[in-house]
mmCIF file of all heavy atoms in Angstrom:
data_model
loop_
_atom_site.group_PDB
_atom_site.id
_atom_site.type_symbol
_atom_site.label_atom_id
_atom_site.label_comp_id
_atom_site.label_asym_id
_atom_site.label_seq_id
_atom_site.Cartn_x
_atom_site.Cartn_y
_atom_site.Cartn_z
ATOM 1 N N PHE A 115 105.594 115.020 108.477
ATOM 2 C CA PHE A 115 105.438 113.645 107.995
ATOM 3 C C PHE A 115 106.713 113.052 107.381
ATOM 4 O O PHE A 115 106.978 111.867 107.547
ATOM 5 C CB PHE A 115 104.293 113.522 106.969
ATOM 6 C CG PHE A 115 102.949 113.880 107.524
ATOM 7 C CD1 PHE A 115 102.267 115.007 107.092
ATOM 8 C CD2 PHE A 115 102.368 113.086 108.511
ATOM 9 C CE1 PHE A 115 101.030 115.338 107.621
ATOM 10 C CE2 PHE A 115 101.126 113.415 109.039
ATOM 11 C CZ PHE A 115 100.467 114.545 108.583
ATOM 12 N N TRP A 122 122.672 109.512 116.040
ATOM 13 C CA TRP A 122 123.469 109.981 117.178
ATOM 14 C C TRP A 122 124.876 110.351 116.707
ATOM 15 O O TRP A 122 125.569 109.544 116.079
ATOM 16 C CB TRP A 122 123.569 108.898 118.261
ATOM 17 C CG TRP A 122 122.265 108.684 118.972
ATOM 18 C CD1 TRP A 122 121.387 107.658 118.776
ATOM 19 C CD2 TRP A 122 121.688 109.531 119.982
ATOM 20 N NE1 TRP A 122 120.294 107.822 119.604
ATOM 21 C CE2 TRP A 122 120.447 108.942 120.350
ATOM 22 C CE3 TRP A 122 122.088 110.720 120.602
ATOM 23 C CZ2 TRP A 122 119.610 109.510 121.319
ATOM 24 C CZ3 TRP A 122 121.258 111.278 121.563
ATOM 25 C CH2 TRP A 122 120.042 110.686 121.911
ATOM 26 N N VAL A 153 106.747 115.985 120.286
ATOM 27 C CA VAL A 153 106.315 115.020 119.260
ATOM 28 C C VAL A 153 106.808 115.282 117.839
ATOM 29 O O VAL A 153 106.678 114.419 116.982
ATOM 30 C CB VAL A 153 104.765 114.898 119.226
ATOM 31 C CG1 VAL A 153 104.249 114.344 120.548
ATOM 32 C CG2 VAL A 153 104.091 116.214 118.874
ATOM 33 N N MET A 158 117.523 115.764 120.536
ATOM 34 C CA MET A 158 117.762 115.066 121.801
ATOM 35 C C MET A 158 119.245 115.200 122.160
ATOM 36 O O MET A 158 120.106 114.901 121.330
ATOM 37 C CB MET A 158 117.456 113.574 121.660
ATOM 38 C CG MET A 158 116.010 113.252 121.365
ATOM 39 S SD MET A 158 115.832 111.448 121.192
ATOM 40 C CE MET A 158 114.077 111.331 120.865
ATOM 41 N N ASN A 187 125.676 102.037 119.018
ATOM 42 C CA ASN A 187 124.669 101.884 120.082
ATOM 43 C C ASN A 187 125.310 101.691 121.459
ATOM 44 O O ASN A 187 124.787 102.173 122.463
ATOM 45 C CB ASN A 187 123.757 100.694 119.772
ATOM 46 C CG ASN A 187 122.909 100.941 118.527
ATOM 47 O OD1 ASN A 187 122.914 102.045 117.989
ATOM 48 N ND2 ASN A 187 122.200 99.924 118.090
ATOM 49 N N THR A 191 124.656 104.076 124.623
ATOM 50 C CA THR A 191 124.110 103.495 125.852
ATOM 51 C C THR A 191 124.955 103.902 127.063
ATOM 52 O O THR A 191 124.414 104.291 128.111
ATOM 53 C CB THR A 191 124.057 101.952 125.723
ATOM 54 O OG1 THR A 191 123.261 101.634 124.574
ATOM 55 C CG2 THR A 191 123.450 101.307 126.962
ATOM 56 N N VAL A 194 124.377 107.581 127.881
ATOM 57 C CA VAL A 194 123.043 107.817 128.450
ATOM 58 C C VAL A 194 122.978 107.340 129.897
ATOM 59 O O VAL A 194 122.269 107.932 130.723
ATOM 60 C CB VAL A 194 121.956 107.151 127.575
ATOM 61 C CG1 VAL A 194 120.603 107.157 128.277
ATOM 62 C CG2 VAL A 194 121.851 107.865 126.225
ATOM 63 N N ILE A 199 118.818 111.488 128.785
ATOM 64 C CA ILE A 199 118.491 112.153 127.522
ATOM 65 C C ILE A 199 117.534 113.303 127.829
ATOM 66 O O ILE A 199 116.588 113.124 128.594
ATOM 67 C CB ILE A 199 117.807 111.187 126.523
ATOM 68 C CG1 ILE A 199 118.751 110.045 126.115
ATOM 69 C CG2 ILE A 199 117.320 111.929 125.279
ATOM 70 C CD1 ILE A 199 118.130 109.022 125.176
ATOM 71 N N PRO A 222 112.560 111.085 113.571
ATOM 72 C CA PRO A 222 111.778 111.605 112.446
ATOM 73 C C PRO A 222 110.609 112.454 112.959
ATOM 74 O O PRO A 222 110.217 112.356 114.116
ATOM 75 C CB PRO A 222 111.236 110.346 111.770
ATOM 76 C CG PRO A 222 111.969 109.197 112.352
ATOM 77 C CD PRO A 222 112.485 109.621 113.681
ATOM 78 N N ILE A 224 106.833 112.648 112.456
ATOM 79 C CA ILE A 224 105.687 111.963 111.834
ATOM 80 C C ILE A 224 104.399 112.752 112.042
ATOM 81 O O ILE A 224 103.315 112.241 111.827
ATOM 82 C CB ILE A 224 105.538 110.509 112.356
ATOM 83 C CG1 ILE A 224 105.170 110.469 113.842
ATOM 84 C CG2 ILE A 224 106.800 109.698 112.107
ATOM 85 C CD1 ILE A 224 104.698 109.070 114.306
ATOM 86 N N PHE A 227 103.097 118.946 112.164
ATOM 87 C CA PHE A 227 103.735 120.182 112.641
ATOM 88 C C PHE A 227 105.117 120.357 112.007
ATOM 89 O O PHE A 227 105.965 119.469 112.128
ATOM 90 C CB PHE A 227 103.906 120.153 114.162
ATOM 91 C CG PHE A 227 102.640 119.947 114.937
ATOM 92 C CD1 PHE A 227 102.525 118.895 115.839
ATOM 93 C CD2 PHE A 227 101.555 120.802 114.778
ATOM 94 C CE1 PHE A 227 101.359 118.695 116.573
ATOM 95 C CE2 PHE A 227 100.387 120.605 115.509
ATOM 96 C CZ PHE A 227 100.291 119.548 116.410
ATOM 97 N N PHE B 130 116.913 101.519 120.000
ATOM 98 C CA PHE B 130 117.597 101.851 118.737
ATOM 99 C C PHE B 130 116.880 101.321 117.491
ATOM 100 O O PHE B 130 116.891 101.972 116.458
ATOM 101 C CB PHE B 130 119.054 101.349 118.724
ATOM 102 C CG PHE B 130 119.907 101.962 119.790
ATOM 103 C CD1 PHE B 130 120.404 101.214 120.848
ATOM 104 C CD2 PHE B 130 120.213 103.318 119.743
ATOM 105 C CE1 PHE B 130 121.191 101.789 121.837
ATOM 106 C CE2 PHE B 130 121.016 103.903 120.725
ATOM 107 C CZ PHE B 130 121.495 103.129 121.770
ATOM 108 N N TRP B 137 100.188 106.318 111.229
ATOM 109 C CA TRP B 137 98.901 106.827 111.734
ATOM 110 C C TRP B 137 97.777 105.895 111.288
ATOM 111 O O TRP B 137 97.627 105.613 110.099
ATOM 112 C CB TRP B 137 98.645 108.244 111.214
ATOM 113 C CG TRP B 137 99.548 109.268 111.839
ATOM 114 C CD1 TRP B 137 100.647 109.846 111.274
ATOM 115 C CD2 TRP B 137 99.424 109.827 113.151
ATOM 116 N NE1 TRP B 137 101.225 110.719 112.158
ATOM 117 C CE2 TRP B 137 100.499 110.737 113.317
ATOM 118 C CE3 TRP B 137 98.525 109.655 114.211
ATOM 119 C CZ2 TRP B 137 100.686 111.472 114.489
ATOM 120 C CZ3 TRP B 137 98.713 110.379 115.375
ATOM 121 C CH2 TRP B 137 99.777 111.270 115.510
ATOM 122 N N VAL B 168 110.798 110.563 124.773
ATOM 123 C CA VAL B 168 111.837 110.293 123.773
ATOM 124 C C VAL B 168 111.919 108.859 123.252
ATOM 125 O O VAL B 168 112.607 108.608 122.257
ATOM 126 C CB VAL B 168 113.248 110.703 124.290
ATOM 127 C CG1 VAL B 168 113.304 112.194 124.548
ATOM 128 C CG2 VAL B 168 113.650 109.910 125.531
ATOM 129 N N MET B 173 101.298 108.201 120.252
ATOM 130 C CA MET B 173 100.740 109.543 120.050
ATOM 131 C C MET B 173 99.262 109.407 119.687
ATOM 132 O O MET B 173 98.915 108.659 118.771
ATOM 133 C CB MET B 173 101.447 110.236 118.887
ATOM 134 C CG MET B 173 102.921 110.502 119.094
ATOM 135 S SD MET B 173 103.578 111.327 117.606
ATOM 136 C CE MET B 173 105.290 111.531 118.091
ATOM 137 N N ASN B 202 98.181 111.771 104.926
ATOM 138 C CA ASN B 202 98.666 112.975 105.612
ATOM 139 C C ASN B 202 97.598 114.051 105.709
ATOM 140 O O ASN B 202 97.524 114.782 106.700
ATOM 141 C CB ASN B 202 99.892 113.539 104.887
ATOM 142 C CG ASN B 202 101.085 112.604 104.971
ATOM 143 O OD1 ASN B 202 101.038 111.594 105.674
ATOM 144 N ND2 ASN B 202 102.150 112.931 104.261
ATOM 145 N N THR B 206 96.273 115.668 109.144
ATOM 146 C CA THR B 206 96.382 117.115 109.352
ATOM 147 C C THR B 206 95.045 117.705 109.799
ATOM 148 O O THR B 206 94.987 118.511 110.738
ATOM 149 C CB THR B 206 96.868 117.784 108.046
ATOM 150 O OG1 THR B 206 98.122 117.190 107.673
ATOM 151 C CG2 THR B 206 97.059 119.287 108.232
ATOM 152 N N VAL B 209 94.302 116.694 113.392
ATOM 153 C CA VAL B 209 95.178 117.376 114.354
ATOM 154 C C VAL B 209 94.761 118.839 114.526
ATOM 155 O O VAL B 209 94.895 119.411 115.619
ATOM 156 C CB VAL B 209 96.660 117.248 113.923
ATOM 157 C CG1 VAL B 209 97.555 118.166 114.746
ATOM 158 C CG2 VAL B 209 97.126 115.802 114.063
ATOM 159 N N ILE B 214 97.829 116.876 119.274
ATOM 160 C CA ILE B 214 98.469 115.572 119.487
ATOM 161 C C ILE B 214 98.902 115.487 120.949
ATOM 162 O O ILE B 214 99.456 116.447 121.481
ATOM 163 C CB ILE B 214 99.723 115.390 118.590
ATOM 164 C CG1 ILE B 214 99.334 115.379 117.108
ATOM 165 C CG2 ILE B 214 100.468 114.095 118.944
ATOM 166 C CD1 ILE B 214 100.521 115.267 116.149
ATOM 167 N N PRO B 237 109.686 105.981 115.776
ATOM 168 C CA PRO B 237 110.708 104.990 116.111
ATOM 169 C C PRO B 237 111.318 105.288 117.482
ATOM 170 O O PRO B 237 111.209 106.407 117.991
ATOM 171 C CB PRO B 237 111.773 105.203 115.029
ATOM 172 C CG PRO B 237 111.160 106.058 113.993
ATOM 173 C CD PRO B 237 110.062 106.819 114.630
ATOM 174 N N ILE B 239 114.774 105.700 119.026
ATOM 175 C CA ILE B 239 116.202 105.822 118.692
ATOM 176 C C ILE B 239 117.050 105.920 119.952
ATOM 177 O O ILE B 239 118.223 106.262 119.894
ATOM 178 C CB ILE B 239 116.485 107.015 117.742
ATOM 179 C CG1 ILE B 239 116.207 108.366 118.414
ATOM 180 C CG2 ILE B 239 115.683 106.888 116.458
ATOM 181 C CD1 ILE B 239 116.743 109.563 117.607
ATOM 182 N N PHE B 242 116.609 103.249 125.672
ATOM 183 C CA PHE B 242 115.560 102.866 126.619
ATOM 184 C C PHE B 242 114.561 101.916 125.952
ATOM 185 O O PHE B 242 113.999 102.244 124.913
ATOM 186 C CB PHE B 242 114.787 104.096 127.100
ATOM 187 C CG PHE B 242 115.627 105.159 127.733
ATOM 188 C CD1 PHE B 242 115.608 106.463 127.252
ATOM 189 C CD2 PHE B 242 116.430 104.875 128.833
ATOM 190 C CE1 PHE B 242 116.375 107.459 127.833
ATOM 191 C CE2 PHE B 242 117.202 105.874 129.423
ATOM 192 C CZ PHE B 242 117.179 107.168 128.921
#
Side-chain angles (χ1 to χ4, degrees):
Chain A
F115 298 112
W122 289 103
V153 297
M158 296 179 180
N187 294 353
T191 302
V194 169
I199 296 178
I224 66 167
F227 303 124
Chain B
F130 298 112
W137 289 103
V168 297
M173 296 180 180
N202 294 353
T206 303
V209 169
I214 296 177
I239 66 168
F242 303 124

